[in-house]
Amino acid sequence: MSDLPSHIEIHEEGPREGFQFEKTIYPLADRVALVDALSRTGLKQIQVASFVNPKRVPQMADAAELFAHIEKVPGVAHTALWLNENGFRQAAGARNVDLKGILLFYASNAFALQNNGRTAEAMLQQQDDWIRLYDEAGVSVQAAYIMTAFGCNLQGDVPVSAVTDQVRWIVDRCGRDRRPLPAIYLADTVGWAVPTEIERRVGAVREVAPDARIGLHLHDTRGSGPASFYAALRMGVDLFDSSVAGLGGCPFAGHDNGAAAGNVCTEDMVFMAHEMGIATGVDLDALIEAARLAERIIGRPLGGRVMHSGSLSRFRTRHE
């Protein structure tokens, strides 16, 4: 199937996933500056921080203070991640947080235990409680993430059925309440996806949930992120998570080398989309400047390509 979308929606996760992954706790002012720079690029959603256990993730201990200092830009949602009710309550009580309900499912039992301390089945059953919590708080359920949807460093190969079983639960649960289906994200949490598996698993999800919007959360851990992005575009997928400059990765993924775990790079995705005639609503040159700011803050070369080479705009201008 080849059905390129005319426009894609990109949700930026670098400020949360990037700084959460780093061992260093960077100054608050630097992290605020990066969020503010990203807010001026045309991105419509930026995940700023997570409200999680500060003993496990000390890099996010000041999440509420970070949100309090960012500049709110009209039309830009500044979102947060939480993994339990306490984290949601903290996010709900913080300034400048745009609450968007998410559900979390796991295709790998081993990773569920590592990341949440619960089995995949227990996490699935807990989603009923999350739905009730969001309903009580007046927060709509907008996304359902299936973690380790392509494979797991801790468990090995993940069968397609482990993904589609979660999707069936989502479809059945929403059908009972006659509530809209959330976007269903397939998360390549530890970087196993390749183009053929994108085609296979996106296709399988569409068979189970033909009316659902499918999103992808891709990691470029093993260099296949851009190719997987392209394969998804060819299938008409129009919703993606990514990280500026390729920041990030999962700190509990079990990689041999922490430097291996980077998210698919936002500016590289935007460049590719624009060159293919796909609109993003993002100012690529402004995004490149934000990526270079991220590199200065981190203090080492980061994995993005376009941030170092620049866009093609200046070369085209020379020959006009």
Side-chain angles (χ1 to χ4, degrees), residues 15 19 25-36 59-60 62-63 66 70 297:
F19 288 111
I25 299 176
Y26 290 90
L28 181 74
D30 287 345
R31 288 176 283 143
V32 169
L34 180 59
V35 174
D36 288 347
Q59 300 90 330
M60 294 287 112
D62 61 355
L66 174 59
I70 63 173
I297 293 169

Side-chain angles (χ1 to χ4, degrees), residues 28 31-32 48-52 58-70 79-81 87 89-97:
L28 181 74
R31 288 176 283 143
V32 169
V48 174
S50 56
F51 290 85
V52 291
Q59 300 90 330
M60 294 287 112
D62 61 355
E65 187 178 4
L66 174 59
F67 268 101
H69 282 83
I70 63 173
T79 65
L81 176 71
R89 298 292 185 193
Q90 291 180 52
R95 278 183 56 200
N96 293 333
V97 179

Side-chain angles (χ1 to χ4, degrees), residues 85-279:
E85 182 175 346
N86 182 54
F88 171 71
R89 298 292 185 193
Q90 291 180 52
R95 278 183 56 200
N96 293 333
V97 179
D98 294 300
L99 296 173
K100 296 196 172 188
I102 57 171
L103 305 177
L104 296 175
F105 301 84
Y106 290 84
S108 161
N109 192 61
F111 189 77
L113 288 167
Q114 178 85 338
N115 203 49
N116 270 84
R118 295 171 179 244
T119 65
E121 178 63 25
M123 286 298 298
L124 183 148
Q125 297 303 326
Q126 189 183 23
Q127 302 314 300
D128 274 323
D129 296 331
W130 278 109
I131 291 170
R132 283 192 291 271
L133 179 65
Y134 292 142
D135 286 348
E136 291 168 2
V139 174
S140 63
V141 179
Q142 297 194 18
Y145 278 81
I146 302 175
M147 315 291 281
T148 54
F150 295 89
C152 177
N153 290 349
L154 307 176
Q155 184 170 307
D157 290 317
V158 168
V160 174
S161 60
V163 176
T164 54
D165 286 349
Q166 313 283 335
V167 175
R168 285 191 182 90
W169 190 95
I170 297 166
V171 172
D172 292 345
R173 182 63 180 80
C174 291
R176 288 205 309 271
D177 290 351
R178 295 184 178 179
R179 68 174 68 235
L181 277 173
I184 297 175
Y185 275 88
L186 304 186
D188 185 25
T189 316
V190 292
W192 282 49
V194 293
T196 50
E197 285 302 309
I198 294 289
E199 294 168 359
R200 183 181 178 210
R201 291 167 195 256
V202 169
V205 171
R206 282 184 172 151
E207 288 182 5
V208 175
D211 297 327
R213 188 181 188 189
I214 296 175
L216 287 175
H217 178 103
L218 298 172
H219 285 214
D220 194 26
T221 312
R222 296 172 175 86
S224 59
S228 295
F229 170 59
Y230 176 67
L233 291 176
R234 297 280 293 178
M235 295 193 74
V237 176
D238 66 353
L239 181 60
F240 298 90
D241 290 344
S242 61
S243 290
V244 63
L247 284 169
C250 176
F252 309 117
H255 293 293
D256 291 333
N257 184 339
N263 282 30
V264 69
C265 177
T266 309
E267 64 274 12
D268 291 359
M269 287 173 55
V270 169
F271 168 80
M272 185 186 296
H274 289 182
E275 290 300 307
M276 293 171 65
I278 301 170

Side-chain angles (χ1 to χ4, degrees), residues 7-11 44-45 213 238-241 279-280:
H7 182 279
I8 61 172
E9 183 177 345
I10 296 174
H11 293 173
K44 298 303 182 186
Q45 181 169 312
R213 188 181 188 189
D238 66 353
L239 181 60
F240 298 90
D241 290 344
T280 66

